[in-house]
Amino acid sequence: MSNTLKRTRIALLSGLTLSATLLAPLATAEVSGAVSVTNDYRFRGVSQTAGDPALQANIDWSHDSGFFVGAWGSNVDFDEPGYNGPDVEIDLYAGYYGEINDETSYDLTLYRYNYPGDSELDYLEVSAGIDFNGFRAAYWFTNDYGGSDLDLHYTEINYAWEFIDNWSLDLHYGYNFGDAIDDGEGFDSYSDYSIGVSTEFSGFAVSVAYLDTDIDGDYEVNSGVYKNSGTLLASVSYAF
């Protein structure tokens, strides 16, 4: 797997759904991993930790042919009155990475989201992405979001620009739509977006970004479970 794809994965682990090109350079060994700390685990704009911090880690194995497999984990918090939800999310994934030319690459990945303690939430998702000269576009699809037997689509576009040596400006826009979020009363899609900066020093990758969604009115959540209002998201990652 290329450094670009690995850096993209670390950015996701940090709670940012964007590609950061200036995170810690990774070794070319077949096994790699990262440990991250973030002040809020946001998944497509929505908190998975009720607005609280998260400790996250991943380990990956990649082959020179382009095939890779990996696992990722984070604490989560979905607890509500009358419902004691899972405390951990563990994702398993496998895919293929390829290069079209020196500036263009693509990846295809199958994910399995697992929630020990409430397996009814488990589901599969597929994604396809392409990277070109600092841009990344990707499409994600599941027909069983959160074990609901309902489909969910997600499209995103990201851009990372090295404005000075070892510093990147990171831009992200994502769009969520599908039956899984269609309540039949006017809410059936939403956007999430962020702008931030990232850098690397002494093996540590640091990201700070402002993240928000266009969810408003009765659907906006300003605190607690599924918080989706604007926030300053900070993360620190160490790759090995």
Side-chain angles (χ1 to χ4, degrees), residues 154-170:
Y154 184 69
T155 59
E156 63 173 317
I157 186 166
N158 312 285
Y159 179 67
W161 171 52
E162 185 178 359
F163 58 95
I164 58 174
D165 186 41
N166 209 38
W167 282 89
S168 173
L169 173 67
D170 306 313

Side-chain angles (χ1 to χ4, degrees), residues 217-229:
D218 294 338
Y219 299 103
E220 184 177 5
V221 181
N222 293 306
S223 63
V225 179
Y226 305 124
K227 179 181 177 181
N228 54 41
S229 57

Side-chain angles (χ1 to χ4, degrees), residues 13-113:
L13 299 185
S14 303
L16 296 174
T17 50
L18 51 87
S19 175
T21 61
L22 289 173
L23 298 181
L26 301 179
T28 57
E30 291 184 339
V31 177
S32 61
V35 177
S36 305
V37 178
T38 180
N39 64 310
D40 188 2
Y41 168 22
R42 290 289 181 109
F43 183 73
R44 299 169 189 172
V46 179
S47 178
Q48 309 294 287
T49 51
D52 293 330
L55 176 63
Q56 305 169 336
N58 78 291
I59 187 166
D60 300 295
W61 177 88
S62 60
H63 190 269
D64 289 342
S65 63
F67 288 99
F68 60 89
V69 296
W72 177 87
S74 175
N75 58 292
V76 295
D77 182 1
F78 304 136
D79 292 350
E80 295 181 287
Y83 174 64
N84 184 20
D87 297 319
V88 177
E89 174 187 337
I90 299 175
D91 302 342
L92 306 176
Y93 48 91
Y96 179 79
Y97 166 87
E99 294 183 346
I100 299 173
N101 54 47
D102 291 342
E103 294 185 341
T104 310
S105 61
Y106 64 92
D107 52 273
L108 305 170
T109 311
L110 173 66
Y111 294 88
R112 169 75 179 187
Y113 299 86

Side-chain angles (χ1 to χ4, degrees), residues 87-230:
D87 297 319
V88 177
E89 174 187 337
I90 299 175
D91 302 342
L92 306 176
Y93 48 91
Y96 179 79
Y97 166 87
E99 294 183 346
I100 299 173
N101 54 47
D102 291 342
E103 294 185 341
T104 310
S105 61
Y106 64 92
D107 52 273
L108 305 170
T109 311
L110 173 66
Y111 294 88
R112 169 75 179 187
Y113 299 86
N114 303 279
Y115 299 91
D118 193 347
S119 60
E120 292 184 356
L121 296 176
D122 298 354
Y123 67 101
L124 293 169
E125 186 175 53
V126 295
S127 73
I130 187 166
D131 292 85
F132 172 73
N133 200 27
F135 286 92
R136 175 171 174 80
Y139 168 72
W140 309 66
F141 171 75
T142 176
N143 64 352
D144 187 31
Y145 178 69
S148 65
D149 199 30
L150 298 172
D151 66 89
L152 183 66
H153 307 257
Y154 184 69
T155 59
E156 63 173 317
I157 186 166
N158 312 285
Y159 179 67
W161 171 52
E162 185 178 359
F163 58 95
I164 58 174
D165 186 41
N166 209 38
W167 282 89
S168 173
L169 173 67
D170 306 313
L171 306 176
H172 162 79
Y173 174 80
Y175 184 65
N176 306 260
F177 62 100
D179 292 340
I181 55 174
D182 183 356
D183 69 352
E185 298 180 1
F187 182 75
D188 59 2
S189 63
Y190 74 92
S191 300
D192 65 273
Y193 48 89
S194 64
I195 179 171
V197 294
S198 58
T199 189
E200 180 275 334
F201 60 91
S202 301
F204 289 90
V206 179
S207 300
V208 178
Y210 178 76
L211 180 148
D212 204 352
T213 72
D214 64 357
I215 300 173
D216 57 15
D218 294 338
Y219 299 103
E220 184 177 5
V221 181
N222 293 306
S223 63
V225 179
Y226 305 124
K227 179 181 177 181
N228 54 41
S229 57

